[in-house]
Amino acid sequence: MPRRTITLPEHFLFATHYDVLYSDVNAANHLGADRLLSIAMEAQLRFIRQLGHSKAIAFEEAGLIMAHAETAYLAEADYGDRLRVELGAREVEQKSFQFVYRISKDDSGEEVARVATTLLFFDYQTRRVVAVPDDFRAQVTAPAVSPPWPG
């Protein structure tokens, strides 16, 4: 089977740090591949909160649900490593979009992983997928600016 590549977006909207925890380390004593999605979801929540939404899933009365996820593990990271997690959006369609994450070691810049998630907005009252809200679409498709970066 040919290896799939997660293509990075043209620009990133957000960046944050993540310190590899003991609970992120597997029996081989490095960051477990199963933890990549959790790290990406933490960055997603931080980005959403920065946009002014107090909850992880609340946008104009719709919830945010994940329809698909892909991970590509590119290099090892160890307990205590400080990672830089960058988030960008692409493929913003009528009812779905992708967040793409680049996870790198903060000190060396070595790329550790890429993650892509396909997300949908969901109305829990009507139990249906709804259109991507216009305000959110504008926030994630705005022209590139320097991503907010924690000092």
Side-chain angles (χ1 to χ4, degrees):
M1 173 187 287
R3 182 179 175 139
R4 292 183 54 146
T5 301
I6 297 172
T7 305
L8 296 174
E10 290 182 24
H11 65 275
F12 291 98
L13 301 167
F14 178 77
T16 189
H17 283 122
Y18 182 86
D19 295 321
V20 177
L21 304 172
Y22 177 74
S23 58
D24 296 326
V25 176
N26 62 19
N29 206 31
H30 60 76
L31 175 65
D34 62 315
R35 299 297 300 150
L36 295 174
L37 193 54
S38 295
I39 293 168
M41 294 302 91
E42 178 64 26
Q44 175 185 303
L45 175 60
R46 292 176 190 181
F47 173 64
I48 289 167
R49 291 184 65 117
Q50 179 183 291
L51 292 179
H53 304 281
S54 61
K55 297 182 181 176
I57 60 168
F59 298 90
E60 300 176 13
E61 306 304 318
L64 191 58
I65 60 172
M66 186 183 313
H68 181 79
E70 294 181 52
T71 61
Y73 198 108
L74 305 171
E76 291 181 0
D78 298 314
Y79 168 75
D81 280 349
R82 176 161 268 207
L83 304 176
R84 176 182 172 130
V85 184
E86 297 167 287
L87 176 153
R90 67 174 189 193
E91 298 182 23
V92 181
E93 306 289 341
Q94 171 75 21
K95 293 187 176 181
S96 68
F97 68 96
Q98 283 192 343
F99 275 150
V100 179
Y101 311 80
R102 178 171 54 193
I103 303 171
S104 306
K105 292 182 183 178
D106 192 46
D107 60 354
S108 68
E110 179 182 19
E111 192 171 4
V112 173
R114 292 182 183 183
V115 177
T117 57
T118 301
L119 300 160
L120 308 168
F121 285 91
F122 191 78
D123 183 327
Y124 283 94
Q125 290 185 350
T126 63
R127 310 297 296 165
R128 287 196 283 207
V129 173
V130 297
V132 174
D134 290 337
D135 288 348
F136 181 79
R137 179 184 301 277
Q139 289 175 310
V140 299
T141 59
V145 294
S146 297
W149 183 241

